[in-house]
Coordinates of all heavy atoms in Angstrom, one line a residue:
D72 N -17.1 -19.2 14.1 CA -15.8 -20.0 14.2 C -15.5 -20.7 13.0 O -14.3 -21.2 12.8 CB -15.9 -20.9 15.5 CG -17.0 -21.9 15.5 OD1 -17.7 -22.0 14.5 OD2 -17.1 -22.6 16.5
D73 N -16.4 -20.9 12.0 CA -16.0 -21.6 10.8 C -15.1 -20.7 9.9 O -14.5 -21.2 8.9 CB -17.3 -22.0 10.0 CG -18.1 -20.8 9.5 OD1 -18.4 -19.9 10.3 OD2 -18.6 -20.9 8.4
L74 N -15.0 -19.4 10.2 CA -14.1 -18.5 9.5 C -12.7 -18.4 10.2 O -11.8 -17.8 9.6 CB -14.7 -17.1 9.4 CG -16.0 -17.0 8.6 CD1 -16.5 -15.6 8.6 CD2 -15.8 -17.5 7.2
W75 N -12.6 -18.9 11.4 CA -11.3 -18.7 12.1 C -10.1 -19.4 11.5 O -10.3 -20.4 10.8 CB -11.5 -19.2 13.5 CG -12.4 -18.4 14.4 CD1 -13.2 -17.3 14.0 CD2 -12.8 -18.6 15.7 NE1 -13.9 -16.8 15.0 CE2 -13.7 -17.7 16.1 CE3 -12.4 -19.6 16.6 CZ2 -14.3 -17.6 17.4 CZ3 -12.9 -19.6 17.9 CH2 -13.9 -18.6 18.3
A76 N -9.0 -18.8 11.7 CA -7.7 -19.4 11.2 C -6.7 -19.2 12.4 O -7.2 -19.1 13.6 CB -7.2 -18.7 10.0
C77 N -5.5 -19.1 12.1 CA -4.5 -19.1 13.2 C -4.2 -17.7 13.7 O -3.7 -17.6 14.9 CB -3.2 -19.8 12.8 SG -2.5 -19.3 11.2
H78 N -4.4 -16.7 13.0 CA -4.1 -15.3 13.6 C -5.3 -14.4 13.2 O -6.0 -14.7 12.3 CB -2.8 -14.8 13.0 CG -2.8 -14.7 11.5 ND1 -2.3 -15.8 10.8 CD2 -3.1 -13.8 10.6 CE1 -2.4 -15.5 9.5 NE2 -2.9 -14.3 9.4
T79 N -5.4 -13.3 14.0 CA -6.4 -12.4 13.8 C -5.8 -11.0 13.8 O -5.0 -10.6 14.6 CB -7.4 -12.5 15.0 OG1 -8.0 -13.8 15.0 CG2 -8.6 -11.4 14.8
G80 N -6.2 -10.2 12.8 CA -5.8 -8.8 12.7 C -6.9 -7.9 12.6 O -8.1 -8.2 12.4
T81 N -6.6 -6.6 12.9 CA -7.5 -5.5 12.7 C -6.8 -4.4 12.0 O -5.6 -4.1 12.2 CB -8.1 -5.0 14.0 OG1 -7.0 -4.6 14.9 CG2 -8.9 -6.1 14.8
V82 N -7.6 -3.7 11.1 CA -7.1 -2.6 10.4 C -8.3 -1.7 10.0 O -9.3 -2.1 9.5 CB -6.3 -3.0 9.1 CG1 -7.2 -3.8 8.1 CG2 -5.6 -1.8 8.4
A83 N -8.1 -0.4 10.4 CA -9.1 0.6 10.1 C -10.5 0.2 10.5 O -11.5 0.5 9.7 CB -9.1 1.0 8.6
G84 N -10.7 -0.5 11.6 CA -12.0 -0.9 12.1 C -12.5 -2.2 11.6 O -13.6 -2.6 11.9
Y85 N -11.8 -2.9 10.7 CA -12.1 -4.2 10.1 C -11.3 -5.3 10.8 O -10.1 -5.1 11.1 CB -11.8 -4.2 8.6 CG -12.7 -3.3 7.8 CD1 -12.2 -2.2 7.2 CD2 -14.0 -3.7 7.5 CE1 -13.0 -1.3 6.4 CE2 -14.8 -2.8 6.7 CZ -14.3 -1.7 6.2 OH -15.0 -0.9 5.4
T86 N -11.9 -6.5 10.9 CA -11.2 -7.7 11.3 C -10.6 -8.3 10.0 O -11.3 -8.4 9.0 CB -12.1 -8.6 12.0 OG1 -12.5 -8.0 13.2 CG2 -11.4 -10.0 12.3
V87 N -9.4 -8.8 10.0 CA -8.8 -9.6 9.0 C -8.4 -10.9 9.6 O -7.4 -10.9 10.4 CB -7.6 -8.8 8.3 CG1 -6.9 -9.7 7.3 CG2 -8.0 -7.5 7.8
E88 N -9.1 -11.9 9.3 CA -8.9 -13.2 9.9 C -8.2 -14.2 9.0 O -8.6 -14.4 7.9 CB -10.3 -13.8 10.3 CG -10.2 -15.2 10.9 CD -9.5 -15.2 12.3 OE1 -9.6 -14.2 13.0 OE2 -8.9 -16.3 12.6
G89 N -7.0 -14.7 9.4 CA -6.3 -15.7 8.7 C -5.4 -15.2 7.6 O -5.0 -14.0 7.5
H90 N -5.2 -16.1 6.6 CA -4.2 -15.9 5.5 C -4.8 -15.1 4.3 O -4.7 -15.6 3.2 CB -3.6 -17.2 5.1 CG -2.8 -17.8 6.2 ND1 -1.5 -17.6 6.4 CD2 -3.2 -18.6 7.3 CE1 -1.0 -18.3 7.4 NE2 -2.1 -18.9 8.0
V91 N -5.4 -13.9 4.6 CA -6.0 -13.1 3.6 C -4.9 -12.5 2.7 O -3.9 -11.9 3.2 CB -6.8 -12.0 4.2 CG1 -7.4 -11.0 3.1 CG2 -7.9 -12.6 5.1
P92 N -5.0 -12.6 1.4 CA -4.0 -11.9 0.5 C -4.0 -10.4 0.6 O -5.1 -9.8 0.9 CB -4.4 -12.4 -0.9 CG -5.2 -13.6 -0.7 CD -5.9 -13.4 0.6
A93 N -2.9 -9.8 0.5 CA -2.7 -8.3 0.6 C -3.7 -7.6 -0.4 O -4.3 -6.6 -0.1 CB -1.3 -7.9 0.3
R94 N -3.9 -8.2 -1.6 CA -4.7 -7.6 -2.6 C -6.1 -7.3 -2.1 O -6.8 -6.3 -2.3 CB -4.7 -8.5 -3.8 CG -5.7 -8.0 -4.9 CD -5.5 -8.7 -6.2 NE -6.0 -10.1 -6.0 CZ -5.9 -11.0 -7.0 NH1 -5.4 -10.7 -8.2 NH2 -6.4 -12.2 -6.8
E95 N -6.6 -8.3 -1.3 CA -8.0 -8.1 -0.7 C -8.1 -7.1 0.4 O -9.1 -6.4 0.6 CB -8.6 -9.5 -0.3 CG -8.6 -10.5 -1.4 CD -9.0 -10.0 -2.8 OE1 -9.8 -9.2 -2.9 OE2 -8.4 -10.5 -3.8
I96 N -7.0 -7.0 1.2 CA -6.9 -6.0 2.3 C -6.9 -4.6 1.6 O -7.6 -3.7 2.1 CB -5.7 -6.2 3.2 CG1 -5.9 -7.6 3.9 CG2 -5.7 -5.1 4.2 CD1 -4.6 -8.0 4.6
I97 N -6.1 -4.5 0.6 CA -6.0 -3.2 -0.1 C -7.4 -2.8 -0.7 O -7.9 -1.7 -0.5 CB -5.0 -3.2 -1.2 CG1 -3.6 -3.3 -0.6 CG2 -5.1 -2.0 -2.2 CD1 -2.5 -3.7 -1.6
R98 N -8.1 -3.8 -1.3 CA -9.4 -3.6 -1.9 C -10.4 -3.1 -0.8 O -11.2 -2.2 -0.9 CB -9.9 -4.8 -2.6 CG -11.3 -4.7 -3.1 CD -11.7 -6.0 -3.8 NE -13.1 -6.1 -3.9 CZ -13.8 -7.2 -4.0 NH1 -13.2 -8.4 -3.9 NH2 -15.1 -7.1 -4.1
L99 N -10.3 -3.8 0.4 CA -11.2 -3.5 1.5 C -11.0 -2.1 2.0 O -12.0 -1.3 2.2 CB -10.9 -4.5 2.7 CG -11.7 -4.3 3.9 CD1 -13.2 -4.8 3.7 CD2 -11.1 -5.1 5.1
L100 N -9.7 -1.7 2.1 CA -9.4 -0.3 2.5 C -9.8 0.7 1.5 O -10.1 1.9 1.9 CB -8.0 -0.2 2.9 CG -7.6 -1.1 4.1 CD1 -6.1 -1.0 4.3 CD2 -8.3 -0.7 5.4
E101 N -9.7 0.4 0.2 CA -10.2 1.3 -0.8 C -11.7 1.5 -0.9 O -12.2 2.6 -1.0 CB -9.6 0.9 -2.2 CG -8.1 1.1 -2.3 CD -7.6 0.5 -3.6 OE1 -8.3 -0.2 -4.4 OE2 -6.4 0.8 -3.9
E102 N -12.4 0.4 -0.9 CA -13.8 0.4 -1.0 C -14.6 0.7 0.3 O -15.7 1.3 0.2 CB -14.3 -1.0 -1.5 CG -13.8 -1.4 -2.9 CD -14.2 -2.8 -3.4 OE1 -14.8 -3.5 -2.6 OE2 -13.9 -3.1 -4.5
R103 N -14.0 0.4 1.4 CA -14.6 0.7 2.7 C -16.1 0.3 2.8 O -17.0 1.1 3.2 CB -14.5 2.2 3.1 CG -13.1 2.7 3.1 CD -12.5 2.6 4.4 NE -11.1 3.1 4.4 CZ -10.4 3.2 5.4 NH1 -10.8 2.7 6.6 NH2 -9.1 3.6 5.3
P104 N -16.4 -1.0 2.5 CA -17.8 -1.4 2.6 C -18.3 -1.5 4.0 O -17.4 -1.7 4.9 CB -17.8 -2.8 1.9 CG -16.4 -3.3 2.2 CD -15.5 -2.1 2.1
A105 N -19.5 -1.4 4.3 CA -20.1 -1.6 5.6 C -20.0 -3.0 6.0 O -20.6 -3.9 5.3 CB -21.5 -1.0 5.7
G106 N -19.3 -3.4 7.0 CA -19.1 -4.8 7.4 C -18.2 -4.9 8.5 O -17.5 -4.0 8.9
L107 N -18.0 -6.2 8.9 CA -17.1 -6.5 10.0 C -15.7 -6.7 9.5 O -14.7 -6.5 10.3 CB -17.6 -7.7 10.8 CG -19.0 -7.5 11.5 CD1 -19.4 -8.8 12.2 CD2 -19.0 -6.4 12.5
G108 N -15.5 -7.3 8.3 CA -14.2 -7.5 7.8 C -14.2 -8.7 6.9 O -15.2 -9.1 6.3
I109 N -13.0 -9.3 6.7 CA -12.8 -10.4 5.7 C -11.9 -11.5 6.4 O -11.2 -11.3 7.3 CB -12.1 -9.9 4.4 CG1 -10.8 -9.1 4.7 CG2 -13.0 -9.0 3.6 CD1 -10.0 -8.6 3.5
A110 N -12.1 -12.7 5.8 CA -11.4 -13.9 6.4 C -11.1 -14.8 5.2 O -11.8 -14.9 4.2 CB -12.4 -14.6 7.3
T111 N -10.0 -15.5 5.4 CA -9.6 -16.7 4.7 C -9.7 -17.8 5.7 O -8.8 -18.0 6.5 CB -8.2 -16.6 4.1 OG1 -8.2 -15.5 3.1 CG2 -7.8 -17.9 3.3
P112 N -10.8 -18.6 5.6 CA -11.0 -19.6 6.6 C -9.9 -20.7 6.5 O -9.5 -21.1 5.4 CB -12.4 -20.2 6.3 CG -13.0 -19.2 5.4 CD -11.9 -18.4 4.7
G113 N -9.6 -21.3 7.7 CA -8.6 -22.4 7.7 C -7.2 -21.9 7.3 O -6.9 -20.7 7.5
M114 N -6.5 -22.8 6.7 CA -5.1 -22.5 6.4 C -4.8 -23.1 5.0 O -4.0 -24.1 4.9 CB -4.2 -23.1 7.4 CG -4.4 -22.4 8.8 SD -3.7 -23.2 10.2 CE -2.0 -23.3 9.8
P115 N -5.4 -22.6 3.9 CA -5.3 -23.2 2.6 C -3.8 -23.1 2.1 O -3.2 -22.0 2.1 CB -6.2 -22.4 1.7 CG -6.5 -21.1 2.5 CD -6.3 -21.4 3.9
T116 N -3.3 -24.2 1.5 CA -2.0 -24.2 0.9 C -2.0 -23.2 -0.2 O -2.9 -23.2 -1.1 CB -1.7 -25.6 0.4 OG1 -1.8 -26.5 1.5 CG2 -0.3 -25.7 -0.2
G117 N -0.9 -22.4 -0.3 CA -0.8 -21.4 -1.4 C -1.2 -20.1 -1.0 O -0.9 -19.1 -1.7
S118 N -1.9 -19.9 0.1 CA -2.3 -18.6 0.6 C -1.1 -18.0 1.2 O -0.1 -18.6 1.6 CB -3.5 -18.7 1.6 OG -3.1 -19.4 2.7
P119 N -1.1 -16.6 1.4 CA 0.1 -16.0 2.0 C 0.5 -16.6 3.4 O -0.3 -16.7 4.2 CB -0.3 -14.5 2.1 CG -1.4 -14.3 1.2 CD -2.1 -15.7 1.1
G120 N 1.7 -17.0 3.5 CA 2.2 -17.6 4.7 C 2.1 -19.1 4.7 O 2.7 -19.8 5.5
M121 N 1.3 -19.7 3.7 CA 1.1 -21.1 3.6 C 1.6 -21.7 2.3 O 1.1 -22.7 1.8 CB -0.4 -21.4 3.7 CG -1.0 -21.1 5.1 SD -0.3 -22.1 6.4 CE -0.8 -23.8 5.8

Side-chain angles (χ1 to χ4, degrees):
D72 62 2
D73 63 318
L74 297 178
W75 292 1
C77 52
H78 56 272
T79 300
T81 57
V82 61
Y85 292 105
T86 296
V87 177
E88 178 67 28
H90 295 269
V91 176
R94 176 172 68 183
E95 304 318 325
I96 299 171
I97 292 166
R98 177 180 163 208
L99 180 73
L100 295 175
E101 288 175 350
E102 295 178 354
R103 302 270 181 179
L107 299 178
I109 54 180
T111 296
M114 297 166 58
T116 301
S118 61
M121 292 298 298

